[in-house]
Amino acid sequence: MENRQALSVKEKMAYGCGDAASNMMWGMTSSYLMYYYTDIYGLPLIAVSWILLVARVVDAFCDPAIGYVIDRMGGLIVPRLIRSLAIPFGLTGFMCFLALPLSPAGKVVWAGATYIVFGAIYSCINTPYGALAVMISRSATQRVGLNAFRMMGCQAGSLLVALLTIPAITWLGGGDSAMQHRYGMAVYVLALSVLGSVLWLCVARGCTVRHPPAPVRQNLTVTLRHLCANRHWVLSNLLAFFYFVGQAALFGFALYYARIVLGGTEQLGANIITFITVLLFAGVPACLPLARRMGTVRSGIICLIAQGAAYVAMALAGASMTGFFLSVALLALAQGVMSPLYYTLLAQAVDDGDPRTSTGSAGLAYSINTWITKLAMGLTGFVLAQFLSQGHYIEGGVAQPTDLCAWITAGFVWLPLGAVCMQALCLLAWRDRR
């Protein structure tokens, strides 16, 4: 059975293209959107915090809706959905960073509308992509390998953004003024958007649906009740929520931490994002041998202990550059090793949950998971923007209030450390029935 399900490297790479495409734009929105809104486009912090939150509330309807459609129509619709949404994904992503010359109120409306529309398109393409792994192979080993390629694609897309963004917008814009950065950002994101659309088309063309779920005609309320009774599925969603709280804080506050706490520039922040992304990528290949030796849950707990130690060390390091980079190296490597495990545990929960609650509703199960990850990002973005506001952050200012450092540290260190502790509790509560 294992041989019949063996996947070619070409198909695994095609599957990884989806996360590369997603994470180019995810990297832009998670690492640079708040900076773009505040320091380049000139939006007030309060408006930024509400834009980030409202966009995720709207997604509350998009993600389950597309998941329900997939379940109602069957698994064979997944490649067609990805193919049809590839170009809208790139177009709406570009519009998020297109700085139209509008009034202050018009800027807020434009920023909010474009980000909400992009979030909806992201939901409608990323949800079927997440469910696709279950339909490609039934083998647990093959799925770990498939998700390892997914996470390598994820880190490759993130790495591209981390390496190029700050230098590219300066070079393409022709200077360092806000107006030049606006132009440079638009041209740069246009290139990313075209590449992202091409990568999504590679997914649709290169991946084969071997195990398409049959259409599910079950009542939506009954399906949701069954899913909520699947203990592993609930725990896997809690894991994803707290993981993405940490990711949103790590990437969303890196530029601010570099400038305010470490005393550097935006380029230092970009270098930190690049450094983290490289080590995340480097840690992914270690996931499969560790999971084989220790088991999925134990491997995750080991990685979380390392992450917790890294955050404590980072807090103790303060403004020490050496201490910071040593701490963040341990953190990124541990997160990279653990990253494929989240999707492996989710696939196990969908396939092998309590037989009484198994509905075959992979689309809805994955769509809710996708929404939860974006809800975590939105809520964390809202909290981080509020932290900046409470610390009286001055947009584009060289001198900043003295108490801002404590608020930046709270968002970059203490908030994600709490999320790591919550993930550990979820894994400790995970009892494998097999």
Side-chain angles (χ1 to χ4, degrees), residues 57-204:
V57 172
V58 173
D59 283 348
F61 299 95
C62 297
D63 286 285
I66 191 65
Y68 188 62
V69 168
I70 293 170
D71 290 334
R72 296 280 294 182
M73 301 189 69
L76 292 175
I77 195 178
V78 167
R80 295 199 297 272
L81 274 173
I82 293 174
R83 187 182 303 110
S84 63
L85 291 171
I87 293 176
F89 173 87
L91 180 61
T92 55
F94 165 65
M95 291 169 64
C96 284
F97 292 88
L98 181 61
L100 295 183
L102 303 172
S103 66
K107 287 182 178 181
V108 172
V109 172
W110 170 254
T114 52
Y115 190 44
I116 288 170
V117 173
F118 171 70
I121 298 295
Y122 186 97
S123 298
C124 292
I125 198 169
N126 211 57
T127 293
Y129 172 70
L132 185 60
V134 174
M135 304 173 192
I136 291 176
S137 175
R138 294 293 190 196
S139 163
T141 302
Q142 292 290 342
R143 283 180 179 173
V144 173
L146 195 65
N147 283 311
F149 270 82
R150 175 180 183 173
M151 296 317 300
M152 284 190 283
C154 164
Q155 305 308 340
S158 299
L159 178 60
L160 177 67
V161 168
L163 280 172
L164 297 181
T165 300
I166 295 297
I169 63 176
T170 301
W171 180 69
L172 292 170
D176 290 318
S177 71
M179 182 175 294
Q180 289 168 319
H181 274 189
R182 287 190 206 110
Y183 178 78
M185 182 71 83
V187 176
Y188 172 64
V189 176
L190 176 61
L192 291 182
S193 299
V194 172
L195 178 58
S197 295
V198 171
L199 290 173
W200 275 121
L201 292 173
C202 291
V203 176

